[in-house]
Amino acid sequence: MSNEGQRILIVDDEDCLARLMTTLLEHLGYTVDQASDGEQALQLGARHDYSAIICDLLMPIVNGMELYARWQAESPQLAERVIFITGDSPGTRTHEFLAVAGRPCLYKPFDAQDLVVTLDEVLGAAYAS
Amino acid sequence: MATEIQLTQLVPEAPPTQRDKSSDELPRFSYYETQLILLVAALYASLILMQVVTRISYVIGATLAAIALLAVGFVVERGRSNRSVLVGSAIALMHVAWISFALYFTGALNSPLLPLLYVVVIIYTLQRDPSQTGLVLGGALLALFSQFLALGIGDPKVLLMAGGHAVPLTAASWAVAKYMGPLYQVQEMAISEAAEYQHKYQVARESSEDAVLIVDPQWQVQEANAAAKRLLRNGHEVELTGKDVLDLLQARNPEGMAPYQEQVLAGEVASQVPLTIIGADGQEHAVLFSALPISEDGSITAIQVSLRDVSNVREFRREIKHLEKFAAARHVLSGVGHSLNNPLAIIRLGIQVVQTLGQEPDQDEIMHQVDRCRAVLRGLDIYTAGRHNSSFVTDVNEVLQQATLLTSSQLMMTGVQLEVDVPPNLPLVHADPHSIQRSFVNILTNVWEAMEDWPGPRKLSITARPLSEAVEICFRDTGPGVKPEEVAQLLKGSYTAEEGGMGLGLSVVYDTVQHAGGRVIISPNRQEGGTLVKIILRSASEEDIQQYEAIVSGRVKHR
């Protein structure tokens, strides 16, 4: 499956990490947009039908959980394509949310390989549906 | 009897009173019986009146009859004992003697039906209470004797009449006793209840966890409960009674007691004065001293002194503080994890990306991320250092930065918007950085905890400015605020907000800042809403700074 034409949104306030992920995914042929907080992501989500969204949980203004809740209510197709990333350790409060949301999550520091595999899974699911 | 049995059951160990005994001996007549006896007495009185109308000399007898009835009533009302009946009978006999004396001179006759009625009353009374046989018959015999003295032996009519005179008055006294019975019972009940309450008070006092002592106005112990004996006697056979309570307490600050002593002797209550005393076990006890003056007719006759041993409560609070610190440490560690994972993720992914792309790694970026990790770990180091390993000079900028770093993930998770406006070159302050950093972490933790379920705006602004020989740091939030009356509790560490809010953390802040010679000012409800915590710390002295610089440059090894 070619990655050409697949548009990915990366939402993370850690600019350096977001740029690294962008570089990697663009290298793999994806088109990538970046948002540094949930507010920007909502605006971009309204303009593009992203194939997958890589979203940090902890962000200023509108955090990952609030963003997900908004999409669930307004654009459920986007909510179903979210991959969360978090710097939290397992066992903290964010995990109660993740358990309920049922979306895949990558724990920082994650491998490039893990990111690619998870992205493929989400894209495969979206493609199958 | 039923009422008394019930009371006795209620007060199994109540001290017996003189009245209990007499009331046991007092037989109970029903309402109708009482009415019947009263009717007999009334009939008798009416006969006397008839005689008064016919023979003026009978006025003496009638007056005595009235006095007799009143006297009986009086004695019964006093409720002393069945002696009332005896006294009533004696008075009746005197009356009969006088009547007889009067008859001797006038020769007046009583109704022939009256003796029959007297016999009925005698039988009835004896049936009700055979224990009084001696009294009734004795009275009758004495009456006869007095009649014989007055009229001479030989006339059976006189005999019947004399005996009969004694009995209805006896019956009348019974009747009055019974009539007064309900009042008597009420009085008895009141006395029993008083005894019951006294007993209950004694039980409560004895079983109280507080040490309770009754002392006289010279503060000499009169009574002491079990807890007082435990605290002040510790199992030794030392007599507390008669000892000066203030000597017994061995309060660390006996001179400090004087105002309270005066206050109590002036009739006021001393309530929960914190004292440290030496118990009989030789240990220090933190107690709350209370004294209640007991007055009688306007003068103080005794003082109830109570001592609540709060040593365990303090221990409990220490434990709570420990748990609170543990919880705070858990939050901090979680924040540390988050703060480390981000730069680590950048380093790891960065290396993998440059490998994949075949590029040169950005060494400056890697160093920058390593520095981020180092700053977090330095903050953690100070957080966990403990006061004894710490310095006495604090760089407010540095510890503030560390504190925000350690709590950044929680603040962000709660959606608290952080605004920091701190000038870069604030003077160093005289305080231990570890404690100050902890204090800042506590304040920040309180803020995000208070904001967790807060529907309003979530902002925290941190500002700092140099003052003359001091530095002022302000934390202003837009959270729910604190009730003004809860501020004192909050600083004491005894306060826990119902839903999140400021917990024990601020007491640590207060202690720390006080220890450093600074001040904490809390404005619980700012006009704009939320809480303002203002901390003023003294600037470090030249000497402090020289020592600090020596430590920093490694010339002097700080212990």
Side-chain angles (χ1 to χ4, degrees), chain A residues 12-14 16-17 19-21 23-24 27-28 56-61 63 65-66 86-89 91-94 108-113 115, chain B residues 330 333-334 337-339 341-354 356-357 359 365 369 372 408-410 412-415 417 452 458:
Chain A
D12 199 329
D13 62 318
E14 277 284 345
C16 188
L17 188 63
R19 277 190 285 115
L20 282 170
M21 287 189 282
T23 307
L24 179 69
H27 176 73
L28 295 172
D56 192 16
L57 271 172
L58 282 189
M59 289 180 297
I61 308 171
N63 67 31
M65 291 181 259
E66 289 161 342
T86 180
D88 269 5
S89 315
T92 51
R93 256 182 52 146
T94 48
K108 298 173 187 177
F110 51 83
D111 279 331
Q113 187 64 26
L115 177 66
Chain B
R330 204 160 55 87
L333 284 177
S334 159
H338 185 265
S339 303
N341 284 335
N342 269 324
L344 288 175
I346 291 167
I347 294 168
R348 188 175 187 126
L349 194 65
I351 290 169
Q352 288 173 344
V353 167
V354 296
T356 309
L357 270 60
Q359 295 173 340
E365 186 59 48
Q369 299 303 333
R372 278 179 70 183
S408 60
S409 62
Q410 274 85 4
M412 209 185 281
M413 172 72 79
T414 321
Q417 210 178 319
E452 262 190 319
R458 300 180 178 191

